[in-house]
Amino acid sequence: TYDVVVDKQGYLIENFSLLPSTEVREVLISKATAENSESLTVTVVDEAGDPVENVRLSLVNAADEKPVGSEKVTGINGVAVFERVKEGSYYVTALKPGFGETASETIQMAQRQQNQLEIVLAIGFGSVEVKVFDDKKVPLAGATVSIVDSATGEVLEQGTSGANGEVIFSIRADKTIYAVSSAATFLPYTSIPVAVGKDSTQELSLDMRKEITGISLELVGVFAGDGSVADSTVPSLSPGQNFKAKFLLLIPRGASFQQAAAYIRTGAAANNSTNPLEKDAFFISDVRSAFDQVLRGTSFSPPKSFSVDASHFTSSSAKWVEVYFNNPVEGAYEIEVDLSVNQNARPGTVLDLWYRSWGRTGGGFLRFPEDSVLGATESTSEKQGFFAQAKNNRSRRIGNKGRCKGC
């Protein structure tokens, strides 16, 4: 038996079942009017009565237990609307993956009336433990810490770090958040976003930075597993291994950038040719930061062929990523990049990790590192801005336990 739904805008939704057959079934559908149809507004809230977004809702006919129409998803306000519903008895199921499922009470749809349902979905809470340190890694007391909803930018909670530099928050479990800390003589610090999780604890360590004179992008470290990968040891990385690099985008006080960005790239960067992702020993699999936009690509064609690279944008594995911050305020912004070594990477291959940043004002561009060809201009006849000078870290390679000569 097949369940069939006929759904055309402006008409009543028809549901029926069919057995496999060679016969043709004619379906007559009626126009939806104020007399024969209504809408049902469903609001999903948590235990505290706050709206719950991204909940999948299904309308079910109570008479035959069959779904009616298509699934709806609640917005930021926790609301979704089923339209063109016939008179009858219905209930709604609510599902948020990872946080359970529930069903509403039955409602009798009535003509020319407001039909509304509220569903309480128990989400639960998790802990976010924030530890704030000064620039010498000493716990910093008295720092103001805000927990921000990464989807809406809303400040969910705020607190002050204690003598041990720590402050703990209880946050609804389905939220993805980032932390912002501020303290006198330090730049405000913004962490990467993290998913909270039910009955779990997320730990965030915020290492504050002092004042700086210009925009920059700092490579904080490279990490594999639970430990850091120190430059000085030049450790080997195995084919198929995953690791991550942590950066800080630093924007000085008094900066008035219309936009700022951090750019990170892997592998080959030969001039006057296209350098594809497929020929590199490693690639970027993901990037996390409290950014406004992100762009990714799979090729790099310096110094003047951005049109080629623009045809190779991607939403998956990438050779480069550029993350953008619109009208950013002064501060330190964490950026974390997931990296993966190709399965067919050759032993001894050096892993080139490139990075740079820029800020745009009404008067042009400020770049880190500086580019003598571009200066403050976006592009020149010799070079496009996308190919601006970048820092290069070459202290890691594949399958070699010794020092990397010439790196």
Side-chain angles (χ1 to χ4, degrees), residues 219-394:
L219 175 58
V220 177
V222 176
F223 305 87
D226 295 327
S228 62
V229 180
D231 282 358
S232 59
T233 60
V234 193
S236 60
L237 291 164
S238 306
Q241 185 173 354
N242 299 319
F243 61 109
K244 61 185 177 182
K246 179 179 175 180
F247 297 86
L248 272 184
L249 175 63
L250 299 168
I251 296 179
R253 292 194 191 279
S256 56
F257 296 128
Q258 297 165 354
Q259 190 176 58
Y263 172 91
I264 297 131
R265 188 179 74 247
T266 62
N271 266 330
N272 300 309
S273 65
T274 295
N275 302 271
L277 167 68
E278 292 76 15
K279 292 188 177 180
D280 289 338
F282 71 130
F283 59 89
I284 297 168
S285 54
D286 202 3
V287 59
R288 290 173 293 282
S289 186
F291 51 70
D292 293 294
Q293 303 164 250
V294 61
L295 195 62
R296 313 168 190 235
T298 60
S299 70
F300 184 70
S301 310
K304 297 188 295 182
S305 296
F306 179 67
S307 60
V308 173
D309 299 329
S311 66
H312 297 144
F313 290 160
T314 184
S315 59
S316 57
S317 299
K319 180 180 177 67
W320 58 265
V321 296
E322 191 161 42
V323 295
Y324 303 91
F325 301 82
N326 297 329
N327 301 305
V329 298
E330 68 268 7
Y333 296 82
E334 276 187 353
I335 302 167
E336 196 169 82
V337 178
D338 289 338
L339 300 155
S340 299
V341 180
N342 276 325
Q343 291 286 354
N344 59 354
R346 292 184 301 173
T349 302
V350 174
L351 301 181
D352 287 282
L353 184 61
W354 307 80
Y355 57 98
R356 59 179 175 84
S357 60
W358 54 262
R360 176 169 55 82
T361 67
F365 287 77
L366 294 176
R367 292 185 168 92
F368 172 85
E370 294 181 355
D371 189 298
S372 59
V373 175
L374 292 170
T377 61
E378 181 174 4
S379 297
T380 69
S381 59
E382 301 173 57
K383 179 191 281 189
Q384 293 171 317
F386 181 73
F387 306 107
Q389 183 69 31
K391 301 277 285 185
N392 185 10
N393 182 284
R394 311 188 73 220

Side-chain angles (χ1 to χ4, degrees), residues 182-198:
S182 58
T185 75
F186 293 94
L187 288 171
Y189 190 105
T190 301
S191 77
I192 60 169
V194 295
V196 176
K198 188 174 182 178

Side-chain angles (χ1 to χ4, degrees), residues 41-46 49-57 71-82 94-96 119 121 123 149 151-152 154 172 174-175:
T41 300
V42 182
T43 303
V44 183
V45 298
D46 64 12
D50 294 322
V52 182
E53 69 275 14
N54 296 322
V55 180
R56 293 161 52 185
L57 302 178
E71 184 180 85
K72 306 294 183 183
V73 179
T74 60
I76 293 296
N77 60 357
V79 174
V81 179
F82 293 93
L95 169 66
K96 184 155 191 176
I119 300 175
L121 185 62
I123 299 296
D149 187 329
T152 65
E154 176 189 0
R172 203 174 77 186
D174 64 335
K175 295 292 185 180

